[in-house]
Amino acid sequence: MKNNVNRDLPDELMTQLQYQPYQTTEIGHPEIQRVAPKVRAQTGDDKLVNSIEDVVKATVKDGMTISFHHHFRNGDFVFNQVMRVIIDAGIKNLTLAPSSLTGVMNDMVIEAIKAGTVTNITSSGMRGSLGDFVSHGGLKNPVIFRSHGDRARAIEHGDIKIDVAFLGVPNADKLGNANGMDGKAVFGSLGYALMDAQYADQVVLLTDNLMPYPNTPASIKQTQVDYVVQVDKVGDPDKIGSGATRFTKDPKELKIAETVNNVIVNSPYFKDGFSFQTGSGGAALAVTRYLRQSMLDNQIKASFALGGITKPTTDLLNEGLIDKVMDVQDFDKGAADSMHTNPNQQEIDASWYADPDNKGAMVDQLDVVILSALEIDTKFNVNVMTGSDGVIRGAIGGHQDAATAKLTIISAPLVRGRIATVVPDVTTVITPGDSIDVLVTEYGIAINPKRQDLQQVLANIPGVPVYTIEQLQQMAADKVGHPEPLQFTDRVVALAEYRDGTIIDAIHEVKD
């Protein structure tokens, strides 16, 4: 069967998993009956358990679904400690359902798959050796990729039913009151973990900093927690921002960032009280710097900034250029530290951030968002999941979710090395072209023809050439040529959901 972005989907698998094909970005107004976790009442003086081995023995059984958060990013120590115990215990046939998988987890996940410990995975994404392993058929069952908002939706619907959530926290008391703001391994917002704490049947906190009771402020509450385990070290906060939050000096990235800022400033949305979400890449951080100067020059303040938060964004908050920061994840230590000191930096969970099936998500109020792309095609469809070799090397993250903004800008170079970014058809559709308004490259911009209003207001920005996206694609092809078509087998190794739970694309096994 085909969906509304013209992607072939496997009929048998779609029927087996009871999926519907993607049709539209319009969510509508569905009435949803949410699920609730099992609760085992407790009245004891504490919930402390002596070791990870003891808590795994008490909680994890064959065939369960277990979850973790990724707030420590590449500084995470919890995931590998817990999975080591689970593998050694001989537990089999688990579904692994983390908010996302980072590079530090890859080797352990591959070992768990080979041991038969993990047979199913749902995640926002994966990279490196694990992405390569799955892309070449290493996992028996297809991975299900979901955006951050879609994961929240799936948990609330019961599509993801978490049996045990293992949540690393930089502090907790003996009954499980915890936050991400105090301790040796601070990471700030617990936004993604809050969904697991609320909906998992059993919640295990792991901390290296046991606090006096009651520990406040409590992002995760004792009413949600079954066990608390003290470990030597939960993570390395210096690695939270490694790679993703670098400040660019690259002239190409700076040119793109300057052009993005020019598009924002010349749009109808740049006015007092506007809202925005940037990202964590080099160009996105540079956009924040340019935007700051434009806000000062035009005496404009933002009502709120949203999403994964970086220090440049919290600097705008502390400078009074933003009224509120709505924080689902902190990408660096500076942003995490700011949450501790500034009451206008509000921790939000993934449902509040981006769940399409709740009573109002923050992304629905966004004016401007800047997003990246591995590929964008002439229909404005975006790929952030698979590389030019067809291998899984990315994550949906909040890409689909934030693309609901009034002005969605994709910032990307025309080519990367000898590989075109603007292509006739993306390898994998993750965010549909109906969500995308403007593409910004170092050579100029392309405006989605569906946005005639933007065609008029952005047509004459000094120093910003306007092209059709077909012209930009041809420019890219002229530079790097036309690659040989990728070769895949018929086997599906992953399915990518749209944020409403329909299937937007299928990822096939790469042919050796």
Side-chain angles (χ1 to χ4, degrees), residues 115-159:
T117 301
V118 169
T119 52
N120 290 279
I121 297 175
T122 177
S123 173
S124 171
M126 59 179 61
R127 297 175 174 84
S129 58
L130 178 59
D132 190 71
F133 180 78
V134 169
S135 297
H136 288 90
L139 182 65
K140 179 182 177 182
N141 299 311
V143 174
I144 306 298
F145 288 120
R146 294 178 167 100
S147 73
H148 292 320
D150 184 31
R151 180 178 188 263
R153 180 207 60 79
I155 290 172
E156 291 169 347
H157 277 236
D159 299 341

mmCIF file of all heavy atoms in Angstrom, residues 115-159:
data_model
loop_
_atom_site.group_PDB
_atom_site.id
_atom_site.type_symbol
_atom_site.label_atom_id
_atom_site.label_comp_id
_atom_site.label_asym_id
_atom_site.label_seq_id
_atom_site.Cartn_x
_atom_site.Cartn_y
_atom_site.Cartn_z
ATOM 1 N N ALA A 115 22.270 -11.768 22.285
ATOM 2 C CA ALA A 115 21.996 -12.719 23.364
ATOM 3 C C ALA A 115 20.525 -13.125 23.422
ATOM 4 O O ALA A 115 20.159 -14.006 24.215
ATOM 5 C CB ALA A 115 22.421 -12.110 24.703
ATOM 6 N N GLY A 116 19.679 -12.483 22.628
ATOM 7 C CA GLY A 116 18.247 -12.757 22.693
ATOM 8 C C GLY A 116 17.562 -12.044 23.836
ATOM 9 O O GLY A 116 16.367 -12.266 24.091
ATOM 10 N N THR A 117 18.290 -11.176 24.525
ATOM 11 C CA THR A 117 17.705 -10.412 25.627
ATOM 12 C C THR A 117 16.721 -9.376 25.099
ATOM 13 O O THR A 117 15.639 -9.184 25.656
ATOM 14 C CB THR A 117 18.818 -9.716 26.437
ATOM 15 O OG1 THR A 117 19.718 -10.711 26.936
ATOM 16 C CG2 THR A 117 18.249 -8.924 27.589
ATOM 17 N N VAL A 118 17.088 -8.696 24.029
ATOM 18 C CA VAL A 118 16.228 -7.692 23.393
ATOM 19 C C VAL A 118 15.820 -8.183 22.017
ATOM 20 O O VAL A 118 16.684 -8.511 21.189
ATOM 21 C CB VAL A 118 16.949 -6.335 23.282
ATOM 22 C CG1 VAL A 118 16.173 -5.376 22.391
ATOM 23 C CG2 VAL A 118 17.156 -5.723 24.661
ATOM 24 N N THR A 119 14.520 -8.251 21.776
ATOM 25 C CA THR A 119 14.017 -8.689 20.471
ATOM 26 C C THR A 119 13.181 -7.626 19.775
ATOM 27 O O THR A 119 12.843 -7.766 18.601
ATOM 28 C CB THR A 119 13.194 -9.983 20.608
ATOM 29 O OG1 THR A 119 12.202 -9.798 21.628
ATOM 30 C CG2 THR A 119 14.090 -11.158 20.991
ATOM 31 N N ASN A 120 12.808 -6.569 20.509
ATOM 32 C CA ASN A 120 12.061 -5.458 19.918
ATOM 33 C C ASN A 120 12.599 -4.146 20.475
ATOM 34 O O ASN A 120 12.985 -4.080 21.646
ATOM 35 C CB ASN A 120 10.568 -5.561 20.236
ATOM 36 C CG ASN A 120 9.893 -6.707 19.519
ATOM 37 O OD1 ASN A 120 9.531 -6.617 18.360
ATOM 38 N ND2 ASN A 120 9.739 -7.825 20.236
ATOM 39 N N ILE A 121 12.583 -3.107 19.634
ATOM 40 C CA ILE A 121 13.033 -1.777 20.056
ATOM 41 C C ILE A 121 12.056 -0.734 19.526
ATOM 42 O O ILE A 121 11.642 -0.784 18.359
ATOM 43 C CB ILE A 121 14.451 -1.456 19.531
ATOM 44 C CG1 ILE A 121 15.491 -2.421 20.117
ATOM 45 C CG2 ILE A 121 14.836 -0.007 19.847
ATOM 46 C CD1 ILE A 121 16.895 -2.240 19.549
ATOM 47 N N THR A 122 11.707 0.210 20.375
ATOM 48 C CA THR A 122 11.068 1.445 19.919
ATOM 49 C C THR A 122 11.854 2.602 20.511
ATOM 50 O O THR A 122 12.213 2.589 21.688
ATOM 51 C CB THR A 122 9.579 1.535 20.310
ATOM 52 O OG1 THR A 122 9.072 2.801 19.882
ATOM 53 C CG2 THR A 122 9.366 1.376 21.792
ATOM 54 N N SER A 123 12.146 3.599 19.684
ATOM 55 C CA SER A 123 13.025 4.683 20.095
ATOM 56 C C SER A 123 12.792 5.876 19.189
ATOM 57 O O SER A 123 12.150 5.764 18.134
ATOM 58 C CB SER A 123 14.491 4.221 20.012
ATOM 59 O OG SER A 123 15.393 5.285 20.242
ATOM 60 N N SER A 124 13.336 7.021 19.598
ATOM 61 C CA SER A 124 13.323 8.187 18.723
ATOM 62 C C SER A 124 14.340 8.036 17.598
ATOM 63 O O SER A 124 14.149 8.568 16.507
ATOM 64 C CB SER A 124 13.622 9.450 19.531
ATOM 65 O OG SER A 124 13.825 10.550 18.683
ATOM 66 N N GLY A 125 15.434 7.325 17.876
ATOM 67 C CA GLY A 125 16.458 7.152 16.854
ATOM 68 C C GLY A 125 17.598 6.286 17.325
ATOM 69 O O GLY A 125 17.590 5.747 18.442
ATOM 70 N N MET A 126 18.583 6.145 16.467
ATOM 71 C CA MET A 126 19.822 5.437 16.794
ATOM 72 C C MET A 126 20.887 5.832 15.784
ATOM 73 O O MET A 126 20.579 6.256 14.660
ATOM 74 C CB MET A 126 19.615 3.924 16.813
ATOM 75 C CG MET A 126 19.116 3.335 15.517
ATOM 76 S SD MET A 126 18.893 1.522 15.561
ATOM 77 C CE MET A 126 17.681 1.296 16.843
ATOM 78 N N ARG A 127 22.132 5.685 16.188
ATOM 79 C CA ARG A 127 23.252 6.087 15.336
ATOM 80 C C ARG A 127 24.386 5.078 15.457
ATOM 81 O O ARG A 127 24.323 4.135 16.225
ATOM 82 C CB ARG A 127 23.757 7.477 15.738
ATOM 83 C CG ARG A 127 22.762 8.611 15.562
ATOM 84 C CD ARG A 127 23.314 9.923 16.094
ATOM 85 N NE ARG A 127 22.457 11.058 15.813
ATOM 86 C CZ ARG A 127 21.411 11.422 16.544
ATOM 87 N NH1 ARG A 127 21.094 10.722 17.629
ATOM 88 N NH2 ARG A 127 20.686 12.478 16.210
ATOM 89 N N GLY A 128 25.458 5.335 14.698
ATOM 90 C CA GLY A 128 26.702 4.601 14.874
ATOM 91 C C GLY A 128 26.561 3.118 14.626
ATOM 92 O O GLY A 128 25.823 2.670 13.742
ATOM 93 N N SER A 129 27.271 2.333 15.432
ATOM 94 C CA SER A 129 27.337 0.883 15.219
ATOM 95 C C SER A 129 25.974 0.222 15.336
ATOM 96 O O SER A 129 25.672 -0.741 14.615
ATOM 97 C CB SER A 129 28.318 0.259 16.212
ATOM 98 O OG SER A 129 27.931 0.539 17.552
ATOM 99 N N LEU A 130 25.106 0.725 16.213
ATOM 100 C CA LEU A 130 23.778 0.124 16.357
ATOM 101 C C LEU A 130 22.930 0.391 15.119
ATOM 102 O O LEU A 130 22.241 -0.513 14.625
ATOM 103 C CB LEU A 130 23.085 0.671 17.604
ATOM 104 C CG LEU A 130 21.659 0.172 17.857
ATOM 105 C CD1 LEU A 130 21.625 -1.345 17.992
ATOM 106 C CD2 LEU A 130 21.062 0.846 19.098
ATOM 107 N N GLY A 131 22.958 1.622 14.612
ATOM 108 C CA GLY A 131 22.232 1.924 13.389
ATOM 109 C C GLY A 131 22.698 1.059 12.235
ATOM 110 O O GLY A 131 21.887 0.561 11.441
ATOM 111 N N ASP A 132 23.999 0.850 12.139
ATOM 112 C CA ASP A 132 24.562 0.006 11.089
ATOM 113 C C ASP A 132 24.119 -1.442 11.266
ATOM 114 O O ASP A 132 23.747 -2.124 10.296
ATOM 115 C CB ASP A 132 26.090 0.121 11.112
ATOM 116 C CG ASP A 132 26.741 -0.538 9.917
ATOM 117 O OD1 ASP A 132 26.622 -0.001 8.800
ATOM 118 O OD2 ASP A 132 27.375 -1.602 10.101
ATOM 119 N N PHE A 133 24.151 -1.916 12.498
ATOM 120 C CA PHE A 133 23.766 -3.300 12.820
ATOM 121 C C PHE A 133 22.309 -3.553 12.442
ATOM 122 O O PHE A 133 21.990 -4.553 11.780
ATOM 123 C CB PHE A 133 23.992 -3.528 14.319
ATOM 124 C CG PHE A 133 23.641 -4.899 14.813
ATOM 125 C CD1 PHE A 133 24.492 -5.975 14.610
ATOM 126 C CD2 PHE A 133 22.459 -5.108 15.506
ATOM 127 C CE1 PHE A 133 24.165 -7.241 15.085
ATOM 128 C CE2 PHE A 133 22.123 -6.365 15.985
ATOM 129 C CZ PHE A 133 22.981 -7.430 15.783
ATOM 130 N N VAL A 134 21.425 -2.656 12.830
ATOM 131 C CA VAL A 134 20.001 -2.815 12.522
ATOM 132 C C VAL A 134 19.755 -2.672 11.022
ATOM 133 O O VAL A 134 18.974 -3.433 10.423
ATOM 134 C CB VAL A 134 19.163 -1.792 13.319
ATOM 135 C CG1 VAL A 134 17.721 -1.758 12.810
ATOM 136 C CG2 VAL A 134 19.199 -2.122 14.799
ATOM 137 N N SER A 135 20.440 -1.735 10.378
ATOM 138 C CA SER A 135 20.245 -1.504 8.942
ATOM 139 C C SER A 135 20.644 -2.700 8.106
ATOM 140 O O SER A 135 20.157 -2.876 6.979
ATOM 141 C CB SER A 135 21.048 -0.272 8.501
ATOM 142 O OG SER A 135 20.601 0.895 9.153
ATOM 143 N N HIS A 136 21.541 -3.528 8.636
ATOM 144 C CA HIS A 136 21.972 -4.724 7.925
ATOM 145 C C HIS A 136 21.297 -5.987 8.456
ATOM 146 O O HIS A 136 21.806 -7.103 8.284
ATOM 147 C CB HIS A 136 23.500 -4.855 7.988
ATOM 148 C CG HIS A 136 24.212 -3.840 7.138
ATOM 149 N ND1 HIS A 136 24.592 -2.598 7.609
ATOM 150 C CD2 HIS A 136 24.577 -3.875 5.822
ATOM 151 C CE1 HIS A 136 25.180 -1.927 6.630
ATOM 152 N NE2 HIS A 136 25.186 -2.657 5.538
ATOM 153 N N GLY A 137 20.142 -5.814 9.101
ATOM 154 C CA GLY A 137 19.323 -6.963 9.461
ATOM 155 C C GLY A 137 19.652 -7.619 10.780
ATOM 156 O O GLY A 137 19.261 -8.772 11.011
ATOM 157 N N GLY A 138 20.321 -6.907 11.682
ATOM 158 C CA GLY A 138 20.764 -7.522 12.933
ATOM 159 C C GLY A 138 19.666 -7.801 13.935
ATOM 160 O O GLY A 138 19.841 -8.633 14.831
ATOM 161 N N LEU A 139 18.519 -7.121 13.821
ATOM 162 C CA LEU A 139 17.408 -7.309 14.748
ATOM 163 C C LEU A 139 16.272 -8.009 14.013
ATOM 164 O O LEU A 139 15.896 -7.614 12.913
ATOM 165 C CB LEU A 139 16.931 -5.954 15.288
ATOM 166 C CG LEU A 139 15.800 -5.961 16.315
ATOM 167 C CD1 LEU A 139 16.235 -6.638 17.615
ATOM 168 C CD2 LEU A 139 15.326 -4.533 16.602
ATOM 169 N N LYS A 140 15.727 -9.040 14.645
ATOM 170 C CA LYS A 140 14.707 -9.854 13.976
ATOM 171 C C LYS A 140 13.471 -9.054 13.624
ATOM 172 O O LYS A 140 12.934 -9.157 12.513
ATOM 173 C CB LYS A 140 14.332 -11.041 14.871
ATOM 174 C CG LYS A 140 13.252 -11.940 14.287
ATOM 175 C CD LYS A 140 12.899 -13.068 15.246
ATOM 176 C CE LYS A 140 11.770 -13.933 14.689
ATOM 177 N NZ LYS A 140 11.381 -15.011 15.638
ATOM 178 N N ASN A 141 12.976 -8.263 14.552
ATOM 179 C CA ASN A 141 11.733 -7.511 14.359
ATOM 180 C C ASN A 141 12.029 -6.052 14.033
ATOM 181 O O ASN A 141 13.033 -5.506 14.490
ATOM 182 C CB ASN A 141 10.874 -7.601 15.615
ATOM 183 C CG ASN A 141 10.484 -9.030 15.953
ATOM 184 O OD1 ASN A 141 10.022 -9.764 15.089
ATOM 185 N ND2 ASN A 141 10.690 -9.427 17.200
ATOM 186 N N PRO A 142 11.183 -5.399 13.257
ATOM 187 C CA PRO A 142 11.457 -4.011 12.873
ATOM 188 C C PRO A 142 11.412 -3.060 14.064
ATOM 189 O O PRO A 142 10.524 -3.149 14.921
ATOM 190 C CB PRO A 142 10.364 -3.683 11.856
ATOM 191 C CG PRO A 142 9.291 -4.685 12.094
ATOM 192 C CD PRO A 142 9.950 -5.908 12.610
ATOM 193 N N VAL A 143 12.359 -2.137 14.104
ATOM 194 C CA VAL A 143 12.350 -1.056 15.073
ATOM 195 C C VAL A 143 11.175 -0.131 14.755
ATOM 196 O O VAL A 143 10.845 0.090 13.583
ATOM 197 C CB VAL A 143 13.674 -0.260 15.010
ATOM 198 C CG1 VAL A 143 13.624 0.965 15.931
ATOM 199 C CG2 VAL A 143 14.851 -1.150 15.381
ATOM 200 N N ILE A 144 10.536 0.405 15.787
ATOM 201 C CA ILE A 144 9.506 1.426 15.606
ATOM 202 C C ILE A 144 10.090 2.758 16.058
ATOM 203 O O ILE A 144 10.442 2.928 17.228
ATOM 204 C CB ILE A 144 8.231 1.116 16.412
ATOM 205 C CG1 ILE A 144 7.711 -0.288 16.092
ATOM 206 C CG2 ILE A 144 7.172 2.173 16.132
ATOM 207 C CD1 ILE A 144 7.316 -0.501 14.648
ATOM 208 N N PHE A 145 10.224 3.701 15.121
ATOM 209 C CA PHE A 145 10.737 5.028 15.438
ATOM 210 C C PHE A 145 9.564 5.989 15.650
ATOM 211 O O PHE A 145 8.630 6.035 14.839
ATOM 212 C CB PHE A 145 11.629 5.556 14.317
ATOM 213 C CG PHE A 145 12.956 4.866 14.230
ATOM 214 C CD1 PHE A 145 13.335 4.184 13.080
ATOM 215 C CD2 PHE A 145 13.846 4.893 15.299
ATOM 216 C CE1 PHE A 145 14.572 3.557 12.998
ATOM 217 C CE2 PHE A 145 15.078 4.259 15.233
ATOM 218 C CZ PHE A 145 15.438 3.584 14.075
ATOM 219 N N ARG A 146 9.642 6.731 16.754
ATOM 220 C CA ARG A 146 8.595 7.691 17.086
ATOM 221 C C ARG A 146 9.225 9.026 17.470
ATOM 222 O O ARG A 146 10.291 9.068 18.084
ATOM 223 C CB ARG A 146 7.748 7.188 18.256
ATOM 224 C CG ARG A 146 6.919 5.937 17.975
ATOM 225 C CD ARG A 146 6.160 5.506 19.212
ATOM 226 N NE ARG A 146 5.128 4.506 18.928
ATOM 227 C CZ ARG A 146 5.281 3.198 19.142
ATOM 228 N NH1 ARG A 146 6.429 2.725 19.622
ATOM 229 N NH2 ARG A 146 4.293 2.364 18.864
ATOM 230 N N SER A 147 8.529 10.111 17.168
ATOM 231 C CA SER A 147 8.951 11.428 17.644
ATOM 232 C C SER A 147 8.733 11.508 19.149
ATOM 233 O O SER A 147 8.057 10.666 19.752
ATOM 234 C CB SER A 147 8.168 12.534 16.943
ATOM 235 O OG SER A 147 6.827 12.576 17.436
ATOM 236 N N HIS A 148 9.281 12.556 19.772
ATOM 237 C CA HIS A 148 9.095 12.716 21.214
ATOM 238 C C HIS A 148 7.616 12.885 21.570
ATOM 239 O O HIS A 148 7.128 12.316 22.550
ATOM 240 C CB HIS A 148 9.898 13.914 21.720
ATOM 241 C CG HIS A 148 11.376 13.716 21.646
ATOM 242 N ND1 HIS A 148 11.986 12.519 21.958
ATOM 243 C CD2 HIS A 148 12.393 14.574 21.308
ATOM 244 C CE1 HIS A 148 13.295 12.635 21.815
ATOM 245 N NE2 HIS A 148 13.566 13.862 21.420
ATOM 246 N N GLY A 149 6.903 13.653 20.773
ATOM 247 C CA GLY A 149 5.477 13.819 21.028
ATOM 248 C C GLY A 149 4.703 12.547 20.773
ATOM 249 O O GLY A 149 3.753 12.207 21.506
ATOM 250 N N ASP A 150 5.088 11.811 19.739
ATOM 251 C CA ASP A 150 4.412 10.561 19.408
ATOM 252 C C ASP A 150 4.676 9.497 20.478
ATOM 253 O O ASP A 150 3.801 8.686 20.786
ATOM 254 C CB ASP A 150 4.878 10.077 18.035
ATOM 255 C CG ASP A 150 4.139 8.822 17.573
ATOM 256 O OD1 ASP A 150 2.958 8.658 17.938
ATOM 257 O OD2 ASP A 150 4.752 8.016 16.852
ATOM 258 N N ARG A 151 5.884 9.496 21.053
ATOM 259 C CA ARG A 151 6.155 8.546 22.141
ATOM 260 C C ARG A 151 5.231 8.826 23.325
ATOM 261 O O ARG A 151 4.674 7.899 23.921
ATOM 262 C CB ARG A 151 7.616 8.631 22.587
ATOM 263 C CG ARG A 151 7.954 7.659 23.726
ATOM 264 C CD ARG A 151 9.438 7.757 24.111
ATOM 265 N NE ARG A 151 9.808 6.710 25.043
ATOM 266 C CZ ARG A 151 9.865 6.838 26.377
ATOM 267 N NH1 ARG A 151 9.548 8.008 26.922
ATOM 268 N NH2 ARG A 151 10.225 5.838 27.145
ATOM 269 N N ALA A 152 5.068 10.103 23.662
ATOM 270 C CA ALA A 152 4.149 10.459 24.744
ATOM 271 C C ALA A 152 2.738 9.988 24.417
ATOM 272 O O ALA A 152 2.036 9.417 25.270
ATOM 273 C CB ALA A 152 4.178 11.962 24.975
ATOM 274 N N ARG A 153 2.312 10.223 23.180
ATOM 275 C CA ARG A 153 0.985 9.774 22.742
ATOM 276 C C ARG A 153 0.859 8.258 22.867
ATOM 277 O O ARG A 153 -0.155 7.740 23.383
ATOM 278 C CB ARG A 153 0.754 10.193 21.288
ATOM 279 C CG ARG A 153 -0.604 9.795 20.708
ATOM 280 C CD ARG A 153 -0.544 9.619 19.183
ATOM 281 N NE ARG A 153 0.417 8.587 18.801
ATOM 282 C CZ ARG A 153 0.179 7.288 18.855
ATOM 283 N NH1 ARG A 153 -0.996 6.831 19.297
ATOM 284 N NH2 ARG A 153 1.097 6.416 18.488
ATOM 285 N N ALA A 154 1.880 7.539 22.410
ATOM 286 C CA ALA A 154 1.832 6.072 22.420
ATOM 287 C C ALA A 154 1.797 5.517 23.841
ATOM 288 O O ALA A 154 1.123 4.515 24.114
ATOM 289 C CB ALA A 154 3.041 5.510 21.661
ATOM 290 N N ILE A 155 2.518 6.155 24.759
ATOM 291 C CA ILE A 155 2.487 5.728 26.163
ATOM 292 C C ILE A 155 1.104 5.975 26.748
ATOM 293 O O ILE A 155 0.529 5.112 27.434
ATOM 294 C CB ILE A 155 3.578 6.458 26.969
ATOM 295 C CG1 ILE A 155 4.971 5.949 26.567
ATOM 296 C CG2 ILE A 155 3.368 6.264 28.471
ATOM 297 C CD1 ILE A 155 6.118 6.745 27.163
ATOM 298 N N GLU A 156 0.540 7.124 26.481
ATOM 299 C CA GLU A 156 -0.779 7.455 27.020
ATOM 300 C C GLU A 156 -1.884 6.583 26.425
ATOM 301 O O GLU A 156 -2.866 6.263 27.105
ATOM 302 C CB GLU A 156 -1.078 8.934 26.780
ATOM 303 C CG GLU A 156 -0.200 9.859 27.617
ATOM 304 C CD GLU A 156 -0.290 11.318 27.223
ATOM 305 O OE1 GLU A 156 -0.836 11.611 26.142
ATOM 306 O OE2 GLU A 156 0.193 12.161 27.992
ATOM 307 N N HIS A 157 -1.722 6.187 25.165
ATOM 308 C CA HIS A 157 -2.695 5.306 24.514
ATOM 309 C C HIS A 157 -2.558 3.860 24.974
ATOM 310 O O HIS A 157 -3.499 3.085 24.845
ATOM 311 C CB HIS A 157 -2.481 5.329 22.994
ATOM 312 C CG HIS A 157 -3.138 6.465 22.293
ATOM 313 N ND1 HIS A 157 -4.031 6.306 21.269
ATOM 314 C CD2 HIS A 157 -3.020 7.799 22.464
ATOM 315 C CE1 HIS A 157 -4.439 7.484 20.836
ATOM 316 N NE2 HIS A 157 -3.823 8.411 21.542
ATOM 317 N N GLY A 158 -1.363 3.480 25.431
ATOM 318 C CA GLY A 158 -1.099 2.078 25.729
ATOM 319 C C GLY A 158 -0.427 1.349 24.586
ATOM 320 O O GLY A 158 -0.196 0.132 24.655
ATOM 321 N N ASP A 159 -0.087 2.072 23.496
ATOM 322 C CA ASP A 159 0.677 1.443 22.407
ATOM 323 C C ASP A 159 2.055 1.019 22.905
ATOM 324 O O ASP A 159 2.607 0.017 22.441
ATOM 325 C CB ASP A 159 0.830 2.419 21.227
ATOM 326 C CG ASP A 159 -0.500 2.832 20.626
ATOM 327 O OD1 ASP A 159 -1.504 2.126 20.862
ATOM 328 O OD2 ASP A 159 -0.546 3.865 19.933
#
